[in-house]
Amino acid sequence: GAEIVALRKDVKHCMTLDCTRVYLDARNVNHTDLSGINEVIHAHYCLSQINKELVLVYRRKSIIERWVEITQLNSFVKIAILPAI
């Protein structure tokens, strides 16, 4: 819902910036489902089309880590894993 709209807006803004790497901070995400992961994939695709790299930042033992394992997202999206809280 609102989170997806905000993410797409932020990605669109990042596409206009003079940078080569965009960090998606998911450290505090407590709940997501496959649609949320699909949005990460969509963001990665949009940014890669203009030679920008997406780095997904999340915490160990989080729901995001579980989805990364299930989907093998780390095989095409760069990740940065922080220690669990």
Side-chain angles (χ1 to χ4, degrees):
E3 293 88 2
I4 289 173
V5 170
L7 177 60
R8 286 192 178 195
K9 182 180 175 185
D10 289 344
V11 168
K12 188 174 182 179
H13 173 71
C14 289
M15 292 173 75
T16 66
L17 299 176
D18 184 25
C19 64
T20 57
R21 186 172 292 137
V22 175
Y23 292 87
L24 178 55
D25 183 356
R27 291 177 298 169
N28 298 318
V29 172
N30 296 318
H31 174 76
T32 193
D33 56 18
L34 189 55
S35 66
I37 299 306
N38 283 338
E39 284 304 315
V40 173
I41 295 167
H42 178 74
H44 162 75
Y45 175 77
C46 289
L47 292 167
S48 70
Q49 294 300 300
I50 56 171
N51 296 320
K52 293 183 186 269
E53 179 179 61
L54 178 69
V55 179
L56 177 62
V57 180
Y58 62 88
R59 293 200 180 276
R60 238 181 239 301
K61 299 182 182 178
S62 68
I63 188 67
I64 300 297
E65 183 176 54
R66 175 102 168 100
W67 276 109
V68 167
E69 291 170 358
I70 290 169
T71 62
Q72 297 297 300
L73 189 62
N74 59 328
S75 64
F76 56 94
V77 173
K78 289 220 177 205
I79 58 169
I81 307 170
L82 300 174
I85 296 177

